Amino acid sequence: MTDITLRQLEYFLAVLDRGSVSEAAKECRVSQATVSAALAQLEKKLKVTLIARGPARRARPTSAGREFGMHAREILSTVSDAVESLNDESSLLQGPLRIGCIPTAAPRMLPGAASHFVRRHPQIDLSFVEAHPMTMQQMVLDGEVDVAVMYRKQIQIEGITRHDLADVQLHALVSADHPAASKDGVDIAELIDDPLILLDSPPTADLLVSQIRGVGYEPTVRWLIPNAETIRSMVGWGLGFSLANAVPHPDTRTFQGMPVRYLPVTNPEFANTIVGATMAGARLSKKLTAALDILRRTASETDPHRWNDADEPGRVKG
C-alpha cells in the first residue's frame, strides 16, 4: 500500500481550499517549506500531479487533484468521526467544520451559529465561506464545505440532500412612504405596477420572476444588483421594490439612514424553506448533526415573527 500520511492529506486540502501554499501554511500553522515538501512527497508517492502552480503563486487542482481531494476529505472526515466516537459527550466535538452559506442568508445564519459553536463546542475548528447558490452547490458536491445554507428552491443540481432548517415567508421590501408601507402584509398584485429591483445571484432572480408569472403577472425588472445592502438603499430612495427571504430587524435602515419596511407576501405560492445542503450519501457524523441542530436553532431565533418578542433583538440566547 502506498505510504501516505494524514498530515499530507491535511496540507494538500489546505492548499486546495486556500489556493496557495503560503495561505495553506498559515492555516496549518507551519512553514511554507513544510507544506511544499508534504505536497511534493504526496505527488511522488501517487505518481501524479495534484496541484498546478499558476501565476502569482496561485495553486489550482488538476483533474486528478479534484478527484483525489474528494476522497481525501472523506478519509479525514472518517478519522475525525472515529475520534469523536470514543467520547459520547457532544461538548467534546473537535476538528475542522466548514459551513457554507449564500450571501443573503449569511447575516441571518452565520453570526448566531458561530456564537453557539464558540460557547458549546470550542474545540471545533470552525470556518465559513459565502458564495452564490450555484457555486455553493458545487462546493457541496466537491466536498469543499461540510454543509451549505441556502433556500430549497435554489437547489438545482443532482446529488444534494436537503435538511429542512425552517420555513420562510417571502417579504416585499418597500420604502417607508410607499402606499403599502403601513400594511401587515401585501399581495404581489399590489406591487406589480412598481419597478422591481432584484438580487443578481443566479438562480434567485429567474426563480422569483418565474413565480410572479406563475400567479398571472408580468414584473418590470428595473435593475439586477449583486449587493443586498445596495438594493435596500435603492428601495429607500423610492426607486422600486424588492423581494427577500432573509428579513433583518425592523429597526434596520438603509446606508443613508432611511427607514424601509419588510412586508410579508401573502401569496402562498412564494413559500420556501431554508435548508442545510449536504452531499447525498454522506454520513451524518456527530459533528455534522450538531451543526444542523445549531443551524435550526439559529433559524428559529432569527425568525422575523419573533423580532417583537425578543428581549434583546439580534442576541442569541441559551
Side-chain angles (χ1 to χ4, degrees):
M1 180 181 291
T2 303
D3 185 18
I4 294 174
T5 69
L6 295 177
R7 188 67 68 191
Q8 289 170 343
L9 298 184
E10 179 186 349
Y11 292 165
F12 163 63
L13 290 178
V15 173
L16 215 61
D17 292 340
R18 298 302 179 184
S20 74
V21 171
S22 60
E23 291 301 315
K26 291 178 184 177
E27 178 181 307
C28 298
R29 297 181 176 86
V30 296
S31 69
Q32 293 186 40
T34 298
V35 174
S36 294
L39 187 57
Q41 291 167 4
L42 183 61
E43 290 180 322
K44 182 178 180 180
K45 290 176 181 178
L46 295 175
K47 298 179 181 179
V48 66
T49 300
L50 299 173
I51 297 292
R53 282 71 166 178
R57 299 184 178 273
R58 301 304 297 171
R60 298 184 181 279
T62 62
S63 58
R66 283 191 293 271
E67 178 70 19
F68 184 72
M70 295 177 61
H71 297 294
R73 291 184 198 280
E74 291 181 9
I75 292 169
L76 291 184
S77 177
T78 300
V79 172
S80 178
D81 293 345
V83 173
E84 290 175 8
S85 70
L86 297 177
N87 196 313
D88 293 330
E89 295 297 326
S90 61
S91 61
L92 294 180
L93 294 179
Q94 57 185 309
L97 176 67
R98 201 172 198 206
I99 298 177
C101 191
I102 58 173
T104 50
R108 172 181 179 177
M109 298 296 297
L110 298 189
S115 177
H116 277 302
F117 269 107
V118 167
R119 289 181 290 108
R120 296 169 60 186
H121 306 295
Q123 296 186 55
I124 292 242
D125 181 13
L126 186 65
S127 62
F128 299 105
V129 59
E130 292 186 31
H132 294 311
M134 299 305 291
T135 301
M136 188 56 66
Q137 291 170 72
Q138 194 59 52
M139 293 182 76
V140 170
L141 294 179
D142 291 342
E144 296 178 20
V145 295
D146 298 294
V147 58
V149 180
M150 61 184 67
Y151 297 108
R152 175 176 287 273
K153 292 180 179 178
Q154 293 174 328
I155 297 180
Q156 299 183 338
I157 299 179
E158 296 290 333
I160 290 178
T161 297
R162 305 163 179 84
H163 307 269
D164 290 355
L165 303 178
D167 293 331
V168 293
Q169 183 173 16
L170 186 69
H171 281 62
L173 172 61
V174 300
S175 61
D177 59 358
H178 190 280
S182 61
K183 294 189 173 185
D184 293 329
V186 65
D187 188 290
I188 202 68
E190 300 176 64
L191 303 171
I192 201 61
D193 291 332
D194 295 347
L196 178 58
I197 305 172
L198 287 176
L199 187 72
D200 188 11
S201 177
T204 302
D206 288 342
L207 286 172
L208 287 171
V209 168
S210 177
Q211 287 178 306
I212 294 172
R213 288 172 177 164
V215 295
Y217 301 101
E218 183 62 36
T220 301
V221 179
R222 171 169 277 180
W223 293 304
L224 293 175
I225 296 176
N227 186 291
E229 188 66 34
T230 304
I231 291 175
R232 182 159 47 234
S233 290
M234 293 287 194
V235 170
W237 281 98
L239 297 171
F241 78 100
S242 190
L243 297 166
N245 283 310
V247 180
H249 189 271
D251 291 345
T252 301
R253 292 175 174 252
T254 70
F255 186 86
Q256 297 82 8
M258 299 176 181
V260 290
R261 286 292 312 279
Y262 285 84
L263 308 175
V265 174
T266 57
N267 306 73
E269 294 86 354
F270 293 95
N272 206 341
T273 307
I274 192 167
V275 301
T278 61
M279 188 187 303
R283 187 172 66 86
L284 290 184
S285 64
K286 289 168 60 178
K287 186 164 53 179
L288 191 51
T289 298
L292 290 170
D293 288 343
I294 284 175
L295 289 170
R296 286 191 184 94
R297 180 170 180 176
T298 303
S300 174
E301 291 165 339
T302 54
D303 186 326
H305 295 98
R306 296 185 57 178
W307 286 131
N308 293 333
D309 299 330
D311 295 328
E312 295 181 79
R315 176 63 58 86
V316 174
K317 298 179 179 59

